[in-house]
Every structure is written in structure tokens, then in C-alpha cells.
Amino acid sequence: MNFWSRVAGLILRNRLIFLFGIIAATIFFASQWKNVNISYTQKSILPDDDHYAQEYAQFRKVFKSDNNLILIGIKDDSLFTASKLNAWDSLSHTLRSFPEVDQVISIENLKILKKDTTHQKFILDRFLKAPVKNDREALQIKHHLFDSLPFYEGIIYNKKSGAIQTIVALKKNIIQSKKRVDFILNKVKPLLHQFEVSQKTDIKASGLVYIKSLNAKVLQSEIPLFIILSLIVTGFIILFFFRSTSPILISLLIVSIGVMWSFGIMGLLSYKISILTAVIPPLVIVIGVPNAIFLINKYQQEIILHGNQIRSLQRVISNTGNAILMTNLTTAIGFGTFVIVKNDLLKQFGVVASLSILSIFILSILLIPIIYSYKKLPKAKHLKHHKKNWITKFVDWLIETVRHRQKAIFGVAILLLIIALIGANKIKVSGSMLSDFPKNKDFYQDIKFFEQEFGGILPLEFMIDTKHKKGAFNLSTLRRIDHFQDEIADLPELSKPVSLVNLAKYTKQVFYNGDPRYYQLPSVHEKNFILPYLKNAGGKANLLKSYTDSLQRYLRITSFMKDIETDKMEQIENYLELKEHKYFPDKKYRVLMTGQAKLYLKGTHYLIDNLIISLGLAIFLIFIFIAWMFGGSLKMAFISLIPNLLPLLITAGIMGFAHIPLKPSTILIFSIAFGISVDDTIHYLAKLRHELKLHKGRVKSSVYKSLKETGISMFYTSVVLFFGFSTFLLSSYGGTKALGGLISLTLLMAMFSNLLLLPALVIFMDNLFKNKKSYNDNLDLFPENKSDE
């Protein structure tokens, strides 16, 4: 009696104990749900010990900077009328009154500099000191703002288009919490909507903190949607194949418990729901249903053979238990390799997904035999689908194709491989920071508004170390920065940069009584009596803290980048690095280019490199695993890889021809798809090994018999996986759509590859070894494995 026969006896003799154990485990996991929450943190893709992450941490330490800005914009020709301008100012005042808000910069509270010649410093005055009385005054305010305050151009207004912007800085203690999302959804959005309705206009809102909050809301709404969709789609497919409600209810019961366990695992490990872990419950359903199909299909086949229920249930476990375990282990390996990536989101995804897959195996191998042991034998009408004419014809076609058209199979495979390699060569490593965000949401269109009117929302920061105290006020340094800012401003992908240079220009303008013609850097002659004003601009004005540190050694340049592809972003980075060396020689300065835009660029390359490594690791581990499974046969492991690597290459080729870039959300699918597609290979090879023993090593008859018995189940499960993953195409997120679409495509191709190419390869290898070693009729690919006896 082999191991799985003993397992079958143990399960069937202790049915109630296992049932109560599952109920107890489900109650325990349900008790952990209270620890499961949506993730609201804004962590970098890069690990903390990465060079670029450390540079960004250094920048934040010096300038106390955080991604805490909400941008509110309007482009309305009637804004500068008394009623509407007062309403806009009132909106700003209301925003400033919220306890969650740290600061608001808008027309309503705009600060302007005035010269205090007595104390040789600047004092702050309000741009607007009272509500606007009439339309004429509103128009005067517009001209004064646009014509006399160039310092605020690109910050508060766009002179060419007339667009106006309000900047809201949130308090840092709410940025990484649910309070941020609640504030934006329950206070900011209703307030903006109320303004739009009352003023009959359209206003825009954006900023990383804003769109990520709305994203969290979309994510929260999609989780139950995809769980329900997955249950409905897989349920209908099972009904179509089995023509009975019993397999549907049993399968959905198992995967539903599996979903409960997956949430419990997240809670037990104190993991929060992210854009990645959110897809795990639907994944459990889509991957768990094939387990149920294989087991139920095997049970019904045994009933057809001899009609003995207990013997059928024993054989379900003893004959398929090992194969089901192996397939689930390989799938878990595909997910588990993500733990090597130094990224919390991927690591947590890999851990929870792997444990969830193993959980669904335990539930399937226990519950299906136990539930059917309490049920009556299936009626003849429930077994009719095994004799369906179209299914029989499909399997017969597979066998005949493998028997008589092996050359055609290999020819098509080689042709597809060549085309795939050509297409894969066209793939670009690209993508943008916001490319996977929902395109059909209003906030995505708002992003485009701020890109057009104010240059973008993705911060690109420069920190210049002058290497000595008070070096920030060196006139030659300011001139270097001025020239460098001109280079930045010439790039259409970047916004107008802001730094101490802009403030120095403003002080000269104020020093000359506000004449905008003097908005320029002081000359050598002027610096001695203008720069002291700038240095003394502290106290309540506090003008310097955003542009230089307390020792006045470091300077900051801030620009904003449009949502562009990473390859273009990389070109801009290389260009600016050349300009850095031109204007800031290493002996005198040290320049750090950082900010969210650069972190995303470096994070994308980091993730892609690590995901390629994880894919390679998954292939290697599964190769070794299959070799071990088949008694150390490296030949068998090699054969099993070919029909599973070909679909991955074809998918890569399609991505190249369709101009789908390689980015974190698309490369992720290869490890997942490979881990799942190899399941069919293992099912087939496990059955083939069994048939070889029964047929005394006769390869061809074993190949055809194995294909006839497993072909139906492989087809059923592949269809479930295809349509199950296709439900992700309805997601708002580009990454989730890519996950669904590309995995569905890969698994569909893997089905035909495993049903046609794999059997043909086994026969080809058998013929090859016969010719070389004069074997009679025995395939030397399956060494004896005593553990199987």
C-alpha cells in the first residue's frame, strides 16, 4: 500500500474529525479578519538600503519634505468676477480651517514681500486684504497677479491660459493613515463638488496623496466585485461541463472557505490589503476550482468503471493525490519566488498566495471525498458529460493529431517560437508611474489638466550641497542654479523649477519697488545690499525653510514631471546629469537628483531585474521538483519545461508586436503563468507514468491512454483558468488587466501545448533513445521511484 492509499484510508475513516478540524480552522481564520485593512502607506518600490532610496531619505531629512500636497485647479474665464473670486477665496479659507490641513497657498492668502529699509529685511503682506467688492476690482487683481508677481507664475497661475491653482499641504501625521483617505473622500471631495454646483464650473484636483487616496477607494470596491465575478464565472463553467448543481455547490463551497482562509492568513500575518494582495481571493477561486474539477472528474470516471463508491473515493485520493499535491506545490513555487524580491508588497503577495494555494489543496483533498462519501451515487444523467459527442471528438482529434501529425506539431511549434523570438526582441522596458491607474476615473483626467497647465504632479527634486556653511548665498552658486533651471525649463516634460534663485529674483524686484522688470538675480554690485534682506527674511516670513537648510549649506530645486514613459524619463535623467556636471563641478558641489519621479524610474528597473531573477528561480525550482518527482529523471524534467516555456515566449512575442512594455505589472505574469501552466504537465506525466507501469513500458499506447483520460480534465481546468483570469480584464487598474489578459492568453496556449506538444515530445524522445541505445519498447525517462510503490 503506497502513501496516498494510506492517506485515503485515514481521511475516509476519520471524516467527522477532519470536518470539525476544517470548521475550527475556518473559525480561527475568521477571527483574524479584524486585522485586515486596506494599505494607506506610500512606500517606495526600492528597499530602504538601496542607494537611491537612501539619497531620497537624506533629502527628506534635510528639507523635511513629504508627499503631502493636494492640488486644486480651475480654468474659468469668469473666475475673476467678484462673486466667483470671493467663492474661490472662501473655498480656500474653508480648506485652511480643517484640522487635517497644515497650510494652504492660494490667491486668498497669498503672501507678498515688502521692503523694511529700517531693519533691512522683508516683511510679509497679504495679497488680498478684504473680499472683492466688484468685477472691476476682481479684474485689477488678475492683472496685478499676472503682471506684477512673476515669482508665483507656475505655482499659483498660468499666465498664458489663465489657469489658477491652490496648493493644500496636509499634516504629516495623517499621510500614512486611513484619516487621509477619510478626509479626502468625506471632506475635500464634497466641498469641491459643492463649489462646482454652486458656481456652475469645473474644478480639478490632484497630487500624489490625493490620487492614491481615491485609488484606495477604487481598490476597496473591486475586491468583493472580483470575488463575486470569479464565483459566478467558474460556477457557470462547471455547470456547463458537469450539467449538475452538485459539483458547482461543492466546488464553490471549497473555494469560498479558501477565500476565508486567505483573508485569515493576511490577518494572522498582519498584512494589509494592497493592489497585489487584493487579487489573491479571486486567484484562490480561479486556481482552486481546477483542483475540484480534477477530483470530481476522477470520481465520476471511477463510478462509471465499477460503480463502487468507497473504492472510487479511495482511488480518487490514491491515484490523483500525488499529482494534485505536485501541481499545487509548483503553483505555490511560482508565487513563492516573489519572497526573494526586497519589496514588501511583492514579498507579502508571494507569502499569502503560496500559503493560500497550499490551503486550497488541503481543503480539496479533504472535503471532496468526505462530502461525496455522504452523498448518493451520481445518477446516469450526471455522468452523461463523459460521453458527450463533442468532448469525445475533441479527445479523439488530439490523439489522432499526436499519432499521425507529429511533424506538423513540431513545425508549428518551431514557427511560433521563431515568430515569438522576433516579437520578444521588440519589447521595451517602459511604463509610467501612473500608467496602471484607472483611465476611466475623473481623477486621471485631472492629472492631465495639471500636466498641461502646471507641468505635472510627480516631484523631481535636486539637492545641491555647497560643501560649506552659508554657501547657499554665494552669488556664483545662485547663477549656476539659474542656468541649470533654464535647462530644466526648456524640457517640455518638466514644470518651471523653483528654488532660492526665484526668491532672490523676487527680492530684487521688491527692492526696486515691485517693478517686474527687475525680477532677476542681483548683480555683483547689488548683492551687498540686497542679499542681506534675503538672509534676514526669517521670523514669521520663514521664506527660506523650503529652499535651504538652517545652516544654509544645502539648496533645493523643485520641479514636477509629467507622467511619461520610463525610457523617456531615463533620457531626461541622463541629460540633466550632464548639465549637473557642467554647472556644478564635483570639487565644489555635490548634486543629488531625487524625488518620486526618479524613485519610480529606479524602482521599475529594480523590480524588473528582481522579477526576472524570481522567474528564473521558479523555472529552476520547478525543473528540480519535476526531476525529483519522476525519480531523478532530468530528461523528463527537460521535456516538461518545453511545452510550458513556449507559451511564455509566445506571450512575450505578442507583447513585443502589440507594443506592450515590460514593466512590473506585466513581467509579474510570467512567474504566475508558468507555475500554473505546468500543472497540466504534471497531471499528464503522472498519469503517463502510471500507464507505463500498467502497459509494461509500452510508450505509445501509454501516451494515448493517458491523453484520453486526462485530456478532458486538462481541457476543463484550462477553460476555467482562462475565463477565471479573464474577469480581471474588468478591473480599473492597468496592472490587474495585464495580469488577467496576459495570463489567460498564456494559459490558453499552454493548454494546447500540453495536449499536443507534450505527448508528441514524449513519443519523439522515446524513438530517439530507441535508435541510440537499442531499447526495445521501454522509455528510459521514468526511473523507478520506490516511494511510489
Side-chain angles (χ1 to χ4, degrees):
M1 181 180 291
N2 67 19
F3 171 76
W4 286 103
S5 295
R6 292 193 291 270
V7 170
L10 180 67
I11 293 173
L12 294 174
R13 284 194 302 269
N14 301 278
R15 294 175 296 176
L16 287 176
I17 293 175
F18 282 110
L19 278 177
F20 284 119
I22 290 171
I23 293 170
T26 304
I27 293 172
F28 169 74
F29 282 125
S31 70
Q32 301 300 312
W33 294 355
K34 62 181 181 292
N35 300 322
V36 180
N37 295 297
I38 299 290
S39 174
Y40 300 104
T41 58
Q42 304 181 65
K43 294 198 69 173
S44 168
I45 296 174
L46 296 169
D48 293 339
D49 59 356
D50 181 83
H51 170 68
Y52 297 104
Q54 289 177 343
E55 285 186 345
Y56 184 60
Q58 182 185 354
F59 165 78
R60 291 183 61 187
K61 182 178 179 181
V62 173
F63 290 103
K64 314 297 182 189
S65 175
D66 216 332
N67 299 311
N68 62 337
L69 301 183
I70 299 175
L71 308 175
I72 301 171
I74 186 171
K75 186 178 178 181
D76 187 341
D77 293 336
S78 64
L79 176 64
F80 286 94
T81 56
S83 61
K84 192 162 286 188
L85 187 57
N86 284 332
W88 182 255
D89 292 343
S90 177
L91 173 66
S92 170
H93 181 75
T94 304
L95 287 167
R96 198 166 68 254
S97 68
F98 289 131
E100 295 87 353
V101 172
D102 183 43
Q103 185 182 10
V104 175
I105 303 174
S106 68
I107 296 176
E108 181 262 341
N109 71 334
L110 202 63
K111 300 297 187 295
I112 58 174
L113 288 176
K114 287 192 174 180
K115 183 172 60 173
D116 181 352
T117 54
T118 304
H119 300 95
Q120 284 197 322
K121 68 176 185 179
F122 294 106
I123 59 173
L124 286 180
D125 198 7
R126 290 190 60 155
F127 179 63
L128 295 182
K129 297 181 180 180
V132 182
K133 297 177 182 178
N134 51 55
D135 292 350
R136 181 180 177 183
E137 184 181 344
L139 196 58
Q140 288 174 344
I141 290 170
K142 176 184 179 181
H143 290 309
H144 182 43
L145 177 65
F146 284 19
D147 298 334
S148 301
L149 294 173
F151 174 75
Y152 286 110
E153 185 174 5
I155 301 175
I156 291 298
Y157 69 90
N158 181 328
K159 188 173 182 178
K160 291 182 179 178
S161 68
I164 297 295
Q165 178 175 248
T166 291
I167 302 171
V168 181
L170 301 184
K171 289 182 178 176
K172 295 178 182 179
N173 63 335
I174 72 163
I175 296 301
Q176 305 291 350
S177 70
K178 188 176 182 293
K179 291 180 181 178
R180 179 197 85 214
V181 178
D182 292 339
F183 170 67
I184 288 173
L185 294 178
N186 301 326
K187 292 183 180 180
V188 176
K189 277 187 68 66
L191 184 64
L192 300 183
H193 178 70
Q194 181 183 352
F195 179 89
E196 288 182 316
V197 172
S198 64
Q199 299 302 315
K200 298 179 181 179
T201 190
D202 179 36
I203 60 177
K204 309 292 184 181
S206 196
L208 287 180
V209 67
Y210 182 83
I211 60 178
K212 286 183 178 180
S213 297
L214 299 189
N215 237 19
K217 183 66 176 178
V218 175
L219 173 64
Q220 194 172 7
S221 65
E222 285 195 352
I223 294 172
L225 170 66
F226 284 110
I227 291 175
I228 293 169
L229 275 176
S230 300
L231 289 170
I232 292 173
V233 169
T234 53
F236 271 112
I237 294 172
I238 296 171
L239 179 62
F240 176 77
F241 286 145
F242 288 95
R243 301 292 179 176
S244 172
T245 57
S246 181
I248 297 176
L249 296 176
I250 293 171
S251 300
L252 296 188
L253 171 66
I254 291 169
V255 294
S256 296
I257 296 173
V259 168
M260 296 170 69
W261 283 24
S262 68
F263 278 118
I265 291 169
M266 278 188 255
L268 185 63
L269 297 174
S270 298
Y271 290 167
K272 293 186 177 181
I273 297 176
S274 66
I275 192 170
L276 284 178
T277 52
V279 303
I280 290 177
L283 276 176
V284 168
I285 296 169
V286 172
I287 295 173
V289 165
N291 283 348
I293 288 177
F294 263 106
L295 292 168
I296 293 172
N297 209 46
K298 177 63 178 174
Y299 170 68
Q300 292 184 348
Q301 287 174 345
E302 292 292 333
I303 291 295
I304 291 172
L305 285 176
H306 49 74
N308 187 303
Q309 187 179 49
I310 297 300
R311 186 190 301 174
S312 297
L313 292 173
Q314 286 176 331
R315 287 185 176 179
V316 165
I317 301 171
S318 60
N319 291 350
T320 65
N322 192 57
I324 294 285
L325 174 61
M326 297 303 111
T327 56
N328 281 268
L329 279 176
T330 53
T331 303
I333 288 172
F335 287 103
T337 53
F338 295 134
V339 300
I340 70 168
V341 181
K342 288 185 178 180
N343 178 276
D344 287 343
L345 293 182
L346 279 172
K347 202 171 280 187
Q348 292 176 10
F349 174 71
V351 170
V352 177
S354 299
L355 293 177
S356 297
I357 297 303
L358 296 178
S359 297
I360 205 72
F361 160 74
I362 293 171
L363 290 169
S364 301
I365 204 70
L366 291 176
L367 284 178
I368 287 178
I370 290 173
I371 292 173
Y372 273 102
S373 71
Y374 287 107
K375 287 175 60 64
K376 295 179 180 179
L377 284 172
K379 296 178 181 178
K381 65 179 181 179
H382 297 147
L383 304 175
K384 278 185 180 179
H385 67 94
H386 288 275
K387 298 179 181 179
K388 283 181 184 175
N389 193 38
W390 68 272
I391 285 288
T392 304
K393 286 183 177 180
F394 176 68
V395 174
D396 289 342
W397 175 81
L398 291 174
I399 294 171
E400 288 302 307
T401 304
V402 172
R403 190 194 304 269
H404 300 296
R405 298 179 182 174
Q406 290 178 31
K407 291 182 179 179
I409 292 172
F410 294 141
V412 171
I414 293 170
L415 179 62
L416 288 174
L417 176 62
I418 293 170
I419 296 173
L421 291 174
I422 294 172
N425 193 49
K426 297 177 180 290
I427 291 183
K428 292 183 178 180
V429 177
S430 190
S432 67
M433 188 171 183
L434 306 177
S435 61
D436 288 335
F437 278 49
K439 303 291 190 298
N440 60 341
K441 302 298 179 182
D442 290 340
F443 67 79
Y444 188 83
Q445 300 306 316
D446 289 359
I447 292 170
K448 298 304 174 185
F449 169 85
F450 286 98
E451 287 184 346
Q452 180 179 344
E453 300 298 337
F454 297 99
I457 66 167
L458 305 178
L460 183 64
E461 305 277 6
F462 299 86
M463 186 171 76
I464 300 168
D465 181 3
T466 63
K467 298 186 178 181
H468 62 274
K469 186 178 178 180
K470 296 191 177 179
F473 287 98
N474 187 298
L475 186 57
S476 65
T477 298
L478 294 177
R479 285 178 174 172
R480 290 175 186 274
I481 294 175
D482 192 28
H483 290 307
F484 184 57
Q485 288 188 182
D486 289 340
E487 302 281 2
I488 296 173
D490 286 340
L491 296 172
E493 297 84 2
L494 298 180
S495 70
K496 170 191 170 184
V498 180
S499 73
L500 191 63
V501 166
N502 303 73
L503 186 57
K505 290 180 178 181
Y506 187 26
T507 58
K508 179 175 178 179
Q509 177 192 351
V510 175
F511 189 85
Y512 285 102
N513 302 315
D515 189 337
R517 292 177 299 173
Y518 290 97
Y519 184 73
Q520 54 190 245
L521 280 176
S523 65
V524 176
H525 174 69
E526 294 167 326
K527 72 170 185 176
N528 294 326
F529 54 88
I530 292 180
L531 288 185
Y533 280 80
L534 179 58
K535 292 179 182 180
N536 294 330
K540 293 182 179 180
N542 207 13
L543 291 173
L544 301 180
K545 70 173 184 178
S546 296
Y547 304 110
T548 185
D549 66 309
S550 59
L551 298 178
Q552 298 170 2
R553 168 180 170 174
Y554 296 95
L555 295 108
R556 172 187 185 180
I557 303 173
T558 298
S559 181
F560 289 90
M561 182 178 282
K562 293 180 180 178
D563 183 39
I564 56 176
E565 302 292 325
T566 52
D567 51 353
K568 182 64 177 177
M569 202 183 296
E570 200 162 25
Q571 293 174 16
I572 292 173
E573 179 196 26
N574 294 334
Y575 172 80
L576 291 176
E577 282 180 350
L578 289 174
K579 298 303 177 182
E580 285 176 15
H581 295 303
K582 175 182 177 181
Y583 295 113
F584 305 103
D586 293 340
K587 289 183 179 180
K588 293 184 177 181
Y589 303 95
R590 177 173 175 257
V591 181
L592 294 183
M593 186 194 308
T594 186
Q596 287 294 315
K598 182 167 181 177
L599 285 185
Y600 177 78
L601 171 64
K602 299 304 177 183
T604 297
H605 288 294
Y606 171 85
L607 267 190
I608 288 175
D609 291 344
N610 279 266
L611 287 171
I612 290 174
I613 293 172
S614 73
L615 173 61
L617 180 62
I619 293 172
F620 173 75
L621 290 176
I622 291 173
F623 177 86
I624 297 299
F625 188 69
I626 293 175
W628 169 81
M629 176 183 172
F630 292 105
S633 175
L634 295 179
K635 298 168 187 174
M636 199 68 254
F638 177 74
I639 289 175
S640 69
L641 286 185
I642 295 174
N644 292 290
L645 290 178
L646 180 61
L648 297 185
L649 290 171
I650 294 173
T651 300
I654 291 171
M655 289 172 62
F657 286 121
H659 305 293
I660 300 172
L662 199 63
K663 54 184 178 178
S665 58
T666 53
I667 196 172
L668 188 70
I669 65 104
F670 290 101
S671 293
I672 297 174
F674 181 78
I676 297 173
S677 66
V678 80
D679 292 356
D680 280 346
T681 305
I682 292 174
H683 276 296
Y684 177 77
L685 293 179
K687 180 61 181 174
L688 176 60
R689 183 172 187 176
H690 178 71
E691 291 297 330
L692 281 169
K693 291 178 180 178
L694 293 179
H695 292 83
K696 298 181 180 180
R698 291 192 294 274
V699 172
K700 290 184 180 179
S701 57
S702 299
V703 165
Y704 304 142
K705 184 73 165 58
S706 301
L707 189 56
K708 186 167 188 176
E709 186 161 332
T710 61
I712 295 175
S713 293
M714 289 166 69
F715 174 73
Y716 282 0
T717 57
S718 296
V719 170
V720 169
L721 289 167
F722 176 79
F723 285 103
F725 277 104
S726 295
T727 59
F728 292 135
L729 290 169
L730 299 176
S731 174
S732 301
Y733 292 93
T736 308
K737 286 182 179 179
L739 183 77
L742 292 174
I743 288 181
S744 296
L745 181 66
T746 306
L747 294 179
L748 183 65
M749 292 182 291
M751 177 188 74
F752 287 103
S753 186
N754 279 302
L755 288 172
L756 293 171
L757 182 58
L758 178 60
L761 278 172
V762 172
I763 293 174
F764 172 78
M765 294 296 286
D766 175 53
N767 292 332
L768 183 65
F769 287 124
K770 275 182 184 176
N771 295 332
K772 286 193 173 183
K773 296 191 175 181
S774 300
Y775 284 175
N776 293 325
D777 205 14
N778 185 29
L779 179 63
D780 186 30
L781 297 176
F782 296 90
E784 290 297 322
N785 190 338
K786 293 181 181 181
S787 65
D788 291 339
E789 296 301 326

